[in-house]
Amino acid sequence: MGLHVGIIMDGNGRWARARGFMRTQGHLEGLKAAKQIVKAASGMGIDFLTLYVFSTENWKRTAEEVGFIMGLVRQYLKAEFTFCRENHIRVRHTGDLSRLPPDVVKDIVDVCRDTEAFTGMQVILALNYGGRDEIVRAVNKALTGVSGNALEINENVIADHLDNPDIPDPDLIIRTAGEYRTSNFLLWEAAYAEYYISEKLWPDWSDADLAEAIENFQKRERRYGGVRAVSVSGNHHE
Ligand code: FPP
């Protein structure tokens, strides 16, 4: 099994500010970087790539900025479909679809359906995503239709009701722009993930940076709370 890598794409605003541009220009450059990284990832042994596009907290930004990011998402989904088909890339979503604009929801649902049978890399777009929100929704899904105390919540019950229960936990979480925070990204799933922080701002990220992050990850010992090191190439969660 190949790797699951999650990326917190941070620093678009700072990239723009440093050049005297609008923040939206930073997001536009961020989209270009995301396209390049998706293309590079499939050739690097990555089977799952989760991109943190928009968090449940990002609604606090101006309506203009939120609208611009939603527009970029729609543009990405439309423009990249041919690339996905040619490279057998399956697009998926994680997050709460119910609070997103209907046109965005439609585009996401359509591309997820149209790429469902593709067996190459899976790109998971975290859009209106929050780790705590995902866990709360998972618990509510588990309790739906259960009366009284018939269901005991344990780790398996929660894991089975997350947004994409079939996707293995991330092995590596990358964060750009030098911030040392999880920012509510894959809280449940990243319990044993390795973290890699890059000082570079997201719009400056390229294939070489991803390759460096993977190489750094491959050198680490993963113990999953035990004593014995587990090879990074194994996916053995014990
Ligand atoms: C973080 O930078 C970036 C975002 C919140 C938006 C990410 C969106 C994209 C990269 C474009 C869409 C991508 C796809 C794949 C559809 P920030 O604005 O928090 O930067 P700052 O911390 O420097 O202000």
Side-chain angles (χ1 to χ4, degrees):
M1 172 92 64
L3 295 175
H4 180 177
V5 176
I7 309 186
I8 303 172
M9 308 179 287
D10 198 9
N12 294 349
R14 275 162 280 177
W15 184 94
R17 194 176 343 118
R19 286 161 182 78
F21 297 157
M22 307 263 290
R23 292 179 57 82
T24 47
Q25 188 65 30
H27 296 315
L28 197 57
E29 290 303 315
L31 176 62
K32 286 186 197 162
K35 284 182 184 174
Q36 199 190 339
I37 292 302
V38 168
K39 287 178 183 159
S42 56
M44 286 185 194
I46 295 173
D47 279 354
F48 303 90
L49 180 67
T50 302
L51 298 175
Y52 205 2
V53 179
F54 193 87
S55 76
T56 46
E57 289 70 42
N58 286 152
W59 297 106
K60 293 178 198 146
R61 299 186 178 203
T62 65
E64 188 207 1
E65 185 172 346
V66 170
F68 189 85
I69 295 174
M70 294 300 158
L72 283 185
V73 171
R74 298 192 67 197
Q75 193 187 314
Y76 175 81
L77 295 174
K78 286 207 163 41
E80 294 303 288
F81 183 71
T82 309
F83 175 80
C84 290
R85 193 178 48 216
E86 285 168 358
N87 294 280
H88 315 288
I89 290 175
R90 178 173 175 192
V91 178
R92 302 180 71 171
H93 172 260
T94 182
D96 185 358
L97 278 181
S98 71
R99 276 193 62 217
L100 286 165
D103 51 357
V104 178
V105 174
K106 184 179 184 311
D107 287 353
I108 293 171
V109 170
D110 285 354
V111 79
C112 289
R113 185 199 56 228
D114 295 344
T115 62
E116 199 172 18
F118 297 162
T119 53
M121 185 173 74
Q122 300 195 13
V123 174
I124 302 104
L125 300 177
L127 194 64
N128 193 23
Y129 179 85
R132 288 183 174 182
D133 178 68
E134 187 190 17
I135 295 167
V136 170
R137 286 186 297 103
V139 171
N140 281 317
K141 274 185 237 171
L143 293 175
T144 301
V146 177
S147 57
N149 286 333
L151 181 70
E152 184 197 343
I153 296 287
N154 59 37
E155 291 193 12
N156 288 336
V157 171
I158 294 183
D160 289 347
H161 291 86
L162 293 174
D163 288 342
N164 298 295
D166 59 305
I167 295 180
D169 285 346
D171 303 285
L172 171 66
I173 305 281
I174 295 169
R175 181 165 191 152
T176 63
E179 303 290 351
Y180 289 69
R181 287 192 290 279
T182 67
S183 293
N184 210 5
F185 186 50
L186 305 180
L187 287 188
W188 182 276
E189 298 89 332
Y192 293 101
E194 297 286 327
Y195 279 79
Y196 178 88
I197 313 292
S198 162
E199 294 300 319
K200 271 196 190 177
L201 305 177
W202 176 250
D204 292 327
W205 251 57
S206 70
D207 307 19
D209 297 295
L210 181 62
E212 199 177 309
I214 302 292
E215 198 183 302
N216 178 291
F217 165 79
Q218 301 285 7
K219 288 185 191 140
R220 299 187 194 181
E221 275 185 3
R222 302 178 78 191
R223 297 198 192 86
Y224 298 104
V227 178
R228 204 162 40 84
V230 177
S231 153
V232 288
S233 54
N235 200 33
H236 200 51
H237 292 206
E238 61 183 357

